[in-house]
Each structure stands twice: as C-alpha cells, then as structure tokens.
Amino acid sequence: MAKPTNAAPSFSTCRTEQSDVASTKPYLSNTLGAKLFGAAATLGALSLMQAACAEPASYSSYNPNYQTDSSVNYFSDALRASGQGDIGSLYNYEQLMSGGLFAMYPTYWRLNDRLVEQSPATIIQFVRQYKGSVMAEKLVADYAEDKAAAGDYGAVRQVANLITNADSSERCAVALGFNHGGDTIRSLSEKSNVWLTTQKQPALCDQLAMEMNDNPLISNKDRESRLKRMLRVGKTGDIMALSTRLGTPISYDMLSNIQRSPTRFINDMQSQPYSQLNQYLYLYALGRITDDSYRQASIQLESDIRTDDQRRQHLLSDETRRYAYRILGVKRMNFNTDDGFDAQAVDWFRKSLDNDFNFEEAEDYAMAGIRFGRWDDVIAAITQMDSETQKENQWQYWLARAYAASNDSKQRNNATRIYQNLATHNDYYGLMAKDKVGQRFTARNGSTLPNVSSQDQARALQDPHFARAFALYNADASRAYANREWNWAVKQARDNNDEQLLIAAARQAYDIGWLDRAIYAIDNADSVDSYALSHPMPHQSSVVRYSESVGIDPAWAYGIIRQESRFVTSARSHVGASGLMQIMPGTAQYIARNLGESYSASRANSGDTNIRYGTWYMSDILGKLNYQPVLATAGYNAGPNKAKRWQPEYGSLAADQYVETIAYPETRNYVKHVMENATIYSHLLGRNLPISQRMGVIPASY
C-alpha cells in the first residue's frame, strides 16, 4: 500500500408460509436477473412460488427457487441481533428464515454465542442439517478449536471427522484430540508443520508440538532435532521437556544462570570435560549472545573453535559446531533490512551443512545464496527442503537458475528442461521462465469475455453456495459473509473439477461489477485462462490518461491496483489505506500538497481522484528510486527507504535476485504479483513488454 515518503429449539422447527412475490425481495432483482441469466430465466423464475420452509429433515433436501428466496431479507437484522447478543430475536429469525437459503445463519449465531458450552450432539445435528454449507464447516471447526483450548478432547474427537477445511489451529486442535484419545498415529498428522518450526504459530500448535515429545512414535533423533531449535530461540519449557526425555535433563536454574551471563558459562565450560549436557548448553548460550549481537556471537564462536582445535580432545562436537554456525546464519538473515546483506551469512550456512535443516533454515540459506549468486549453495539449500517443497515453482525456478550457471552441460540441460516446464504457467515464475527459453507470453482471447452457456448460467443459479453469495451482494449485506460464501462456492466447484461452473459464476460476478470475486474464482481455477475476468480493466480511460500524464506505464498502474484493492473502490486496509490504490491518509495529504490542492479525505478516496493521486505517487517514487519499477513497486508497499536499503551497496543485481531476497515476505510477494500483473496488462493494452525487460536490473544504492 502507498505510504508517505516521510512517513434452543430443534433446528428443523419451522412454520409453513407461502411467499408473496409482491412483498418479497427476490435473490436478484428482475433487472439484475435478466442481466445475469437472460430474460427467459428471469421470467421463468418469477412464475414460481416457494414455501418459506421446505421439508425439515435436512439442508441437502432443500430444492428452493433461489431467485425468489426471501430469507436474505432478514439477514442483516439477524446479524445485528447477533452482535447485540439478542438470543430471543435469533430464535424468531430462525422461524422467519427457516427453509430458505440463509436458514442456518440465525442458528449459527445463536450457537456461536456460547460455542464452547454446546454439546457435540448439537454441533453434529447442525452440521448434518446444513451439510455442505460453509457455516456448518465453520461452526464445527471453531467448536473443535474452542473445545481443544478448554481441554475437552473427547468432544473434539466426536466432531473431528466432520471437519473438511481446517486451518492450522483447527488441525492442531484435532490432532490434540486424538493425542488425548490414545491414537498416536493420527496425533502426528501435523508433525511436519509444527515439530521443527521456530516461527510464531497458534497456541494449540505450540501445545501439540510440546505434547508430541511424549508420543512413542517420536524418536530421540526427532527430539534432538527439535531441541536444537528450541535452544536457538530459547524456549525454556520445551528445552526442559525434550532434554529430560533424551536423558540429559536441563533445569530451569541452568538456563536462568546462562541467561544472566552466557559468556561466563562458556568460559567456565573450558575447564570442564566433554559432556552431552554442555553441547546443549553451549548452543543455548550462543543463542543468547546472538540475541544481543550476531557479530559478537560470531567472534565468540570463532574464538571457541580456535581454542578447541588446540585441545587433544575437543569440547565442542562437529554437530555442535555445525548448528552453532546455523544459529548465526539464521539470525543474520533477520537483519538484512537494518544492516544490509552480507555474504558471511552464506558462509555460515555452508559451515552448518548436514542433513538436519528445517524449512525456515533451508529457505534462509537459499535466499542468502540467491542474493550473492552463490549457485552451489542455492542447490545445496534447495536439496535440504522436503521433496514436495522442492517441486514448487519458486524453488524449481531457482534450481534452474543455479543449474544454468554451472559449467556442467548436464546441469545446463536440466535448467532448460525446468524452464520449459515452468513456462507452461503464466504466474511470476512461469513468465520469468518464458523469457529464459525465448517464449512469448500471449493472453489467449485477450480481453474477450468467455461465452457461458444457458445451462451453465442456470447451474450457477441453482448452486446454493453461489446463490447465497450473490444474494448477499445484491442485498448489500455483509461483504465479509458474502465473500466467505463465494470463496466456499469456488472451493466446492474446484474440488469437483467443475471449471465451467467457476467460469459461469465469475462471468456473472463480472457483469454486476463484483470484480474482486470474479478474479478470485479465475485465480483458483487451475486450467482456466480468462484474462477479461482475471485481469479486468475498469476506469480504463482514467488509468491510461493519468498514467501517461505523469510518465508511467498504465500496465504497471493496473498491476498495482489489482494487487492493492482488486478494484474494490470502498476497500480500506487495517492500517487506514483507502480506495482503488490503497493510499494512506498521510500519503494523500503529501500528494495533494505537491499538486497544489487542498486535502479532502472523501475526494482522495473517490475512484477518479484516487487513481490520479496513486499514479502521481507511483511516478514520484519511481523518480526517487532510479526510475527502476521493481524498486518503486517495493517502495509503494513498504516505503521508499526500505526499498533503498534492500539495494546492493556496490555493483548491480539481477532484478529477480533482488525481489527474491526482499526481507519482508509481504513486500516480496507483493512485488512478484505486481510484476506478473503488469506483464499481463501490458499485453491486454497492446503494449506487450516481457517481464524480464520490465524488471530490468537493480543498481547500487550509492
């Protein structure tokens, strides 16, 4: 985003009621229905009447005419009652909405009000009644999470098999449920995600990792691998539990003493005989020194190794030495923004090479190697990743880059093969790979909207998930719930390999101006290229005119807008950025001042002015950052000063190396998406510019 330069009845209870076409707002207005589905479909729908409550047995038995569903009329009022904790009103809305598309919502809000107090049977009944709905999935997943946090693992196990789309915390909740039920195999389902990570994760995942220590299927080798990471980051509870299971207990007092003076422990260790306990404690002590200064820790480690090498019997094992260098490498990569990049990080990782890297460590090693073109190290780092991660486009691309730099013709041939495989995709890495093998990006059908058959139009209308999403959008109800219904509908269609349904729904969303959901649908369709839907160009005259007036590429401006707001004019971020181009208030004031205008928040956020301000600011940043679009894109998201700090101090750097080593993951991914977007938009605008030419080369900061 742009920043300033300075800057409880049964669920089936129901009353039968005939709908009144004259008094009931349909799911789509007549005009909108005609636009989406054609006059014939609309006239047919208007001739149908629906009972307010169908057969009470289950949600799956509903067969309503969604166009005349009236339950959406009560949605916003019921949501308001939920927010006020008005359970009595929710009971009434359950009756009023029963049998309709939104029948589950007042019940969901009522149960969710005191979710942890509900019985598993109540949750199971809800899920069965509204089987397949996103709110059934959400209720049962949240229930498992709340019950796991409360220690009611039996309840978790009762509902676990009903959860189909859990997030990381919910998956950990389920695993905890099985762990406390004696199912040691199922309790390890999240091991690869939680066991070796040192990054922040949900509390239930921390608990699960702690409990895995006692799982009989966890080996001592597993425990030692985790212990080294916990020693690095200083997690006292985990250190004590793991070391005890390994037969080398580390007490709280030991850790406290080292915490107070790690160098004193290291000095005292020099006069003690070799022990496994001291191997662990040395890593803990070095980790604490590193917390204060990786430079001081480096001096300490090098001194300790020199001294140790003079002994007949070493006090530091080869394994301890290797992981000590790993501690330095990981910590150094955390200071790239503050201290600049340094090839010393690559050296430290190379000295730490063994067969025990977690993903965080391997990724840091790979990025350090990428930054300095140390291609053998890049290969070594990628080799340390698990096989599925290595297959990801990101790492395949960098493996090819590393192979291409080799003197070995076999590796260079492998690079070409990988590039050719990647070039079948039109994402960031696919576009980069196309340039490597001389292919040209072509947007098939360009800006032509896909034709959708009347049958697929009707299927989109009959799909309850998409129908709910459209109904909420048309009723101007909660956008958060509309988006959730839409995203769930897209998931169901994708899981069913029903891409024609995705295209039909996306086309309908496009036609009513719901562009962000049309984009979402196409972006989640594996083999669908419909650039008119995935890369729309609203406000084209303004975007082109204002971009050209300040000397920037309109395709780049569109790339920024698509990434910032997905063309939602009312978009507002959690930090206050607003409008199509997500301009911060301070930035808007800076722009208005430089344009000689008085600042008005409402005007700055309006579509046309927001585009004018945003394109001017893009030009302003571009001029301050060497007229380099990658730097300016990073500056638009993270601020110009951050983008400068990530430049090389001397010489130049290939743009893809700069982008891949941006220290902020959000900005790193942002720049990739904007460059991908801009490349596609350049083709759609008839100004085709390959991504490599667009990105150019990153100059030195001085």
Side-chain angles (χ1 to χ4, degrees):
M1 67 197 67
K3 297 182 180 179
T5 303
N6 300 318
S10 166
F11 303 149
S12 60
T13 300
C14 163
R15 63 188 177 90
T16 303
E17 176 183 288
Q18 290 292 329
S19 64
D20 181 354
V21 174
S23 62
T24 300
K25 181 179 178 180
Y27 135 64
L28 295 173
S29 67
N30 296 348
T31 302
L32 190 54
K35 187 173 183 180
L36 287 179
F37 305 109
T42 303
L43 292 172
L46 291 173
S47 69
L48 296 175
M49 308 291 283
Q50 177 194 354
C53 183
E55 191 68 26
S58 72
Y59 163 80
S60 59
S61 68
Y62 291 179
N63 187 24
N65 169 31
Y66 298 143
Q67 281 187 290
T68 58
D69 183 87
S70 64
S71 61
V72 70
N73 295 337
Y74 305 107
F75 182 92
S76 293
D77 289 338
L79 177 57
R80 191 176 303 111
S82 170
Q84 296 169 349
D86 187 351
I87 303 302
S89 291
L90 288 176
Y91 278 119
N92 292 333
Y93 285 118
E94 286 182 61
Q95 303 298 313
L96 291 169
M97 299 168 73
S98 183
L101 269 172
F102 297 91
M104 72 286 294
Y105 273 95
T107 309
Y108 167 84
W109 288 320
R110 176 171 59 79
L111 295 177
N112 196 57
D113 184 62
R114 294 182 176 178
L115 186 56
V116 76
E117 298 176 10
Q118 307 300 329
S119 69
T122 299
I123 303 303
I124 291 168
Q125 183 184 359
F126 182 91
V127 172
R128 287 176 176 168
Q129 184 163 357
Y130 301 111
K131 184 178 180 181
S133 71
V134 67
M135 301 317 293
E137 170 67 22
K138 180 164 176 54
L139 187 75
V140 70
D142 287 349
Y143 180 74
E145 191 175 22
D146 286 359
K147 282 295 190 181
D152 188 352
Y153 302 109
V156 175
R157 291 193 296 277
Q158 289 188 60
V159 303
N161 291 335
L162 298 175
I163 301 171
T164 63
N165 191 45
D167 63 22
S168 59
S169 182
E170 293 156 356
R171 290 196 303 270
C172 290
V174 170
L176 282 167
F178 288 121
N179 192 49
H180 286 267
D183 192 336
T184 55
I185 295 177
R186 293 186 72 174
S187 68
L188 288 178
S189 59
E190 288 298 295
K191 179 188 173 187
S192 62
N193 295 322
V194 306
W195 182 247
L196 293 184
T197 186
T198 59
Q199 297 176 338
K200 185 176 181 180
Q201 59 180 345
L204 291 176
C205 295
D206 280 332
Q207 179 185 342
L208 176 63
M210 173 73 84
E211 291 189 9
M212 281 184 183
N213 182 41
D214 295 321
N215 191 303
L217 297 180
I218 292 289
S219 68
N220 279 345
K221 183 178 179 181
D222 289 329
R223 292 186 179 94
E224 192 157 51
S225 290
R226 178 168 168 80
L227 176 58
K228 288 190 292 186
R229 276 81 193 176
M230 299 302 102
L231 291 165
R232 168 161 64 84
V233 296
K235 293 190 72 172
T236 302
D238 289 276
I239 292 169
M240 293 167 62
L242 289 160
S243 62
T244 298
R245 282 301 302 259
L246 285 167
T248 310
I250 298 173
S251 69
Y252 180 81
D253 286 344
M254 291 178 187
L255 298 176
S256 295
N257 289 333
I258 294 174
Q259 179 77 43
R260 283 192 291 269
S261 181
T263 54
R264 180 187 302 165
F265 165 79
I266 292 175
N267 291 335
D268 291 346
M269 179 182 164
Q270 308 302 316
S271 61
Q272 298 172 8
Y274 175 92
S275 71
Q276 184 58 57
L277 175 62
N278 279 348
Q279 304 307 298
Y280 296 150
L281 295 180
Y282 180 84
L283 293 176
Y284 181 78
L286 191 71
R288 306 297 64 77
I289 297 172
T290 308
D291 286 343
D292 290 334
S293 169
Y294 64 83
R295 294 186 179 94
Q296 185 59 43
S298 169
I299 293 170
Q300 181 72 57
L301 177 59
E302 295 292 352
S303 174
D304 293 340
I305 289 176
R306 283 196 302 272
T307 301
D308 202 39
D309 282 344
Q310 296 172 10
R311 293 189 177 93
R312 180 177 299 177
Q313 182 178 2
H314 291 168
L315 296 181
L316 297 175
S317 69
D318 290 344
E319 181 180 359
T320 299
R321 295 180 183 204
R322 284 195 297 271
Y323 202 75
Y325 279 116
R326 188 89 51 83
I327 292 172
L328 298 180
V330 171
K331 180 61 70 171
R332 182 62 184 83
M333 291 298 288
N334 292 334
F335 281 84
N336 288 335
T337 295
D338 294 337
D339 296 350
F341 293 83
D342 195 315
Q344 194 171 37
V346 191
D347 297 332
W348 287 337
F349 277 116
R350 174 164 282 278
K351 289 179 179 178
S352 82
L353 268 174
D354 58 18
N355 294 319
D356 185 22
F357 274 70
N358 68 10
F359 175 72
E360 174 192 1
E361 295 162 352
E363 182 181 48
D364 279 347
Y365 183 19
M367 288 186 175
I370 288 166
R371 179 72 183 198
F372 293 99
R374 297 269 292 267
W375 302 116
D376 287 344
D377 287 285
V378 173
I379 294 169
I382 295 173
T383 302
Q384 297 296 328
M385 300 174 186
D386 66 76
S387 58
E388 288 305 308
T389 301
Q390 290 183 40
K391 294 175 185 176
E392 294 173 2
N393 287 358
Q394 174 184 8
W395 301 115
Q396 284 291 292
Y397 175 82
W398 288 108
L399 192 61
R401 284 277 270 125
Y403 284 160
S406 172
N407 292 324
D408 186 330
S409 60
K410 185 175 181 180
Q411 286 197 337
R412 292 197 301 273
N413 290 337
N414 283 338
T416 301
R417 176 182 54 79
I418 294 171
Y419 283 142
Q420 289 171 340
N421 289 337
L422 290 172
T424 61
H425 305 283
N426 290 323
D427 62 357
Y428 171 79
Y429 294 105
L431 293 171
M432 295 292 293
K434 279 181 170 65
D435 289 357
K436 296 292 185 184
V437 293
Q439 295 184 19
R440 191 175 181 84
F441 167 72
T442 301
R444 289 177 295 180
N445 300 320
S447 57
T448 303
L449 287 165
N451 292 319
V452 178
S453 69
S454 58
Q455 181 181 6
D456 285 332
Q457 289 178 347
R459 287 201 305 125
L461 173 63
Q462 292 301 318
D463 181 89
H465 313 297
F466 281 120
R468 274 191 290 273
F470 281 121
L472 290 170
Y473 179 85
N474 186 54
D476 199 24
S478 165
R479 186 58 59 87
Y481 281 100
N483 286 354
R484 178 182 286 133
E485 288 285 1
W486 179 271
N487 296 352
W488 183 255
V490 169
K491 180 184 183 303
Q492 301 309 300
R494 179 175 176 172
D495 289 350
N496 292 326
N497 296 314
D498 195 345
E499 293 191 332
Q500 291 307 307
L501 177 60
L502 279 178
I503 293 172
R507 172 64 193 269
Q508 291 158 12
Y510 177 92
D511 285 346
I512 62 174
W514 202 7
L515 301 183
D516 62 311
R517 291 306 94 187
I519 292 169
Y520 182 88
I522 300 303
D523 279 356
N524 280 275
D526 289 331
S527 58
V528 174
D529 286 336
S530 177
Y531 292 101
L533 296 178
S534 64
H535 291 73
M537 293 187 289
H539 315 286
Q540 186 171 345
S541 62
S542 293
V543 172
V544 172
R545 182 171 75 256
Y546 291 136
S547 295
E548 291 180 340
S549 71
V550 294
I552 67 168
D553 182 359
W556 181 37
Y558 263 128
I560 291 280
I561 296 172
R562 185 182 188 273
Q563 193 59 29
E564 287 285 354
S565 68
R566 291 291 196 270
F567 304 101
V568 177
T569 56
S570 61
R572 186 176 181 86
S573 77
H574 68 284
V575 294
S578 301
L580 288 167
M581 302 195 73
Q582 289 291 279
I583 302 173
M584 296 286 287
T587 307
Q589 293 173 23
Y590 167 80
I591 296 167
R593 188 166 59 250
N594 278 273
L595 290 176
E597 300 177 2
S598 60
Y599 170 71
S600 164
S602 60
R603 188 172 72 249
N605 295 335
S606 70
D608 193 74
T609 301
N610 195 263
I611 294 169
R612 181 165 60 88
Y613 277 21
T615 50
W616 183 91
Y617 187 61
M618 290 173 68
S619 175
D620 183 59
I621 293 179
L622 188 68
K624 292 174 179 176
L625 293 172
N626 305 93
Y627 293 92
Q628 217 297 331
V630 167
L631 291 177
T633 302
Y636 196 90
N637 179 261
N641 290 334
K642 292 291 193 303
K644 286 180 181 179
R645 290 181 189 177
W646 297 323
Q647 286 180 253
E649 289 188 26
Y650 308 102
S652 60
L653 185 67
D656 60 347
Q657 290 172 261
Y658 172 89
V659 171
E660 201 66 58
T661 55
I662 289 174
Y664 294 174
E666 176 191 335
T667 304
R668 186 189 317 145
N669 292 326
Y670 177 92
V671 174
K672 292 176 189 177
H673 285 306
V674 169
M675 291 297 106
E676 171 192 325
N677 293 342
T679 302
I680 293 171
Y681 276 118
S682 72
H683 182 90
L684 297 177
L685 289 166
R687 311 177 184 196
N688 201 9
L689 184 65
I691 192 168
S692 297
Q693 292 182 36
R694 173 176 301 281
M695 291 173 62
V697 175
I698 307 299
S701 57
Y702 301 107

